[in-house]
Amino acid sequence: MGMKVSEVARLAGVSVRTLHHYDEIGLLRPGGRSAAGYRLYRPEDLARLQQVLFFRELGFPLEEIVRTLSGSPDEVTAALREQRRLLASQAARAGALLAAIDRALEEREGGSVMTDEERFELFGAQDPARHEAEVRARWGQTEAFAESARRTRRYGAREWGAIQAEAGELSAALARLAEAGAPAGGPEAMALAEAHRAHLERWFYPCPAAMHRGLGDLYVDDARFAASYERVRPGLAAYLRDAIRANASRLEAAGAA
Amino acid sequence: MGMKVSEVARLAGVSVRTLHHYDEIGLLRPGGRSAAGYRLYRPEDLARLQQVLFFRELGFPLEEIVRTLSGSPDEVTAALREQRRLLASQAARAGALLAAIDRALEEREGGSVMTDEERFELFGAQDPARHEAEVRARWGQTEAFAESARRTRRYGAREWGAIQAEAGELSAALARLAEAGAPAGGPEAMALAEAHRAHLERWFYPCPAAMHRGLGDLYVDDARFAASYERVRPGLAAYLRDAIRANASRLEAAGAA
DNA sequence: CTTGACCCTCACGCCACGTCAGGGCCTATC
DNA sequence: GATAGGCCCTGACGTGGCGTGAGGGTCAAG
């Protein structure tokens, strides 16, 4: 005759509502209905439910499961590969966020909520976890961050507001220079790059020319940082990097780095 | 005067809609409004936005961010620890799912969608990733799974339906025995345990007594497996384990294991 | 005044169900 | 036959965090 909805639900570990839903969306249709309209599931329905729950468990959206289950073996393999890519990305991200939380917990020795806001020197709420990993990878040193944490631990809303305001002004001034066609290696642009470096040194950490160079590269190489500047004005990230490079070369030539 | 909503959105890398939403839910209220009703954000608002986005990035629900930002430093630390626990769990799960997909991809040499359904011998859609890791950890051998995969690769809906039906009958028969007060170590219960073992050997892999013992333990020790049986009848998981143990001892005494 | 960019509130939609309302079906018992 | 209890059905609102669009107001420049 067939199994009723609650039997199937119990056996498969899902809710009756879930089975209703799956029927509605065409993911799992019961093989039959009683005269009273009760859903009646057959063995092949149960077999399909197994498949559905397997793919659901792997994170496939239901709509996609419908498609996958009606596809060829090659299509199923391709779907699994794509899902793997997404899962790998999630796993990496989870790991990075764990590192971020660990860092946040380590550094919570004072009372401020803002212990990790050295990240904000990059002018917006960037992904804190990826930011840290990448800056570390690029710079290969952690002392600057330790120094930054020590300083910013005591900052309050006023300080952060000031930081934000300064950063915004710098960004705007750079955009105006670029708009006016001033060369990135010219004195005005370098002056702004130097102001940027001073801003970092004032609020966060010592920023020698070499480190500043690295930061400039990061602004261009990383899509998120680039996006921050590109939002202000197209090409601004590269402009700032070039200004930083020119400024760094000048500092190094003067032996002041 | 204050920044308007799109300036803030651009600077912070969020949408205007997001800022509206945050205003609505009291997460981030603009410090002012123009005569026309425009939201005007102040530096301290931006500072708070930084905090909001930081916690959001870490996966905190917005409602919780509201609470966390109004809490004491100790409460913030506790919130971060709890979130770390969740993230660690997610990371572990992602890793396990990756392994499951890898396994699925490895074994896709034929055309069947059902390459991993040996898991279903445990009577329901269990978490395939955790299931596999735990069974491997417990049993310390993989040949049974390789054999299972080889067999099940070619199973279709009919076979799976038959497996499901047999499993359901076994479960029901066990419940009737328990209901009737038959001892788990008695001949009838052992007969069903043996039928269970035969079921596994028939459909999945060789199941010597020692392995069957391990499976019996798993049914009780793991909350999900236990739940499967407990749903049929309270105490059934332990009943089955005891029947399996008695049966295994019998087989070993007879030197048939 | 017109135009274009931006702002406001309101509201429906998304995804995968959870929860509940209102009413019918089925079986056992009185 | 009536009743009670368990189960089934459809319909519908809600959840979290926005995305999208409608309809209309504001502001600055031409």
Side-chain angles (χ1 to χ4, degrees), chain A residues 144-233:
Chain A
F145 282 86
E147 173 65 15
S148 174
R150 283 194 288 270
R151 294 197 203 175
T152 57
R153 191 168 300 139
R154 282 171 296 280
Y155 289 179
R158 178 136 33 97
E159 285 83 9
W160 288 113
I163 292 169
Q164 184 80 300
E166 279 185 28
E169 280 163 18
L170 271 172
S171 203
L174 272 166
R176 285 194 296 272
L177 263 202
E179 178 73 26
E188 290 149 303
M190 284 196 289
L192 286 182
E194 186 56 25
H196 179 260
R197 196 174 73 88
H199 169 77
L200 296 178
E201 296 206 313
R202 176 182 174 195
W203 294 107
F204 301 103
Y205 43 67
C207 183
M211 182 185 285
H212 207 210
R213 262 186 206 279
L215 206 57
D217 289 339
L218 187 65
Y219 295 153
V220 173
D221 292 343
D222 187 277
R224 287 163 299 110
F225 296 146
S228 280
Y229 288 107
E230 300 303 293
R231 276 198 287 263
V232 178
R233 176 193 159 77

Side-chain angles (χ1 to χ4, degrees), chain A residues 97-108 112-122 124-129 131-132 136 145-146 148-155 160 204, chain B residues 50-51 54-55 58 76 80:
Chain A
L97 287 179
L98 273 178
I101 282 201
D102 285 340
R103 179 66 184 275
L105 287 171
E106 268 173 49
E107 291 169 357
R108 294 191 62 84
S112 166
V113 176
M114 306 299 296
T115 51
D116 276 311
E117 297 311 319
E118 72 274 359
R119 294 178 179 85
F120 207 72
E121 75 268 14
L122 296 181
Q126 310 292 352
D127 180 338
H131 162 73
E132 176 158 340
R136 282 174 188 272
F145 282 86
S148 174
R150 283 194 288 270
R151 294 197 203 175
T152 57
R153 191 168 300 139
R154 282 171 296 280
Y155 289 179
W160 288 113
F204 301 103
Chain B
Q50 292 171 29
Q51 296 177 57
F54 174 68
F55 285 105
L58 291 181
V76 174
L80 283 171

Side-chain angles (χ1 to χ4, degrees), chain B residues 36-167:
Chain B
Y38 289 11
R39 292 171 174 81
L40 301 175
Y41 293 88
R42 297 176 176 154
E44 58 266 28
D45 299 330
L46 296 182
R48 180 174 168 99
L49 180 56
Q50 292 171 29
Q51 296 177 57
V52 167
L53 296 180
F54 174 68
F55 285 105
R56 185 187 74 167
E57 201 63 46
L58 291 181
F60 285 80
L62 300 188
E63 195 54 52
E64 195 179 327
I65 297 177
V66 174
R67 289 198 303 273
T68 302
L69 288 182
S70 61
S72 70
D74 287 348
E75 286 170 323
V76 174
T77 298
L80 283 171
R81 286 195 200 286
E82 175 59 20
Q83 194 63 13
R84 190 198 186 289
R85 197 186 61 79
L86 290 180
L87 279 174
S89 173
Q90 283 170 28
R93 179 175 170 69
L97 287 179
L98 273 179
I101 283 202
D102 284 340
R103 178 66 185 275
L105 287 171
E106 266 174 48
E107 292 169 355
R108 294 190 63 81
E109 302 177 16
S112 166
V113 175
M114 307 301 296
T115 51
D116 276 311
E117 298 310 320
E118 74 272 0
R119 293 178 179 85
F120 207 74
E121 75 267 14
L122 296 182
F123 310 132
Q126 309 294 353
D127 179 338
R130 284 192 61 188
H131 163 72
E132 176 157 341
E134 289 183 354
V135 171
R136 283 175 188 269
R138 181 177 290 270
W139 293 348
Q141 48 179 327
T142 58
E143 182 52 7
F145 280 89
E147 173 65 16
S148 175
R150 283 194 285 270
R151 294 196 202 176
T152 56
R153 190 168 299 138
R154 284 172 295 279
Y155 289 0
R158 179 143 23 108
E159 285 84 9
W160 288 112
I163 293 170
Q164 185 78 302
E166 279 185 29

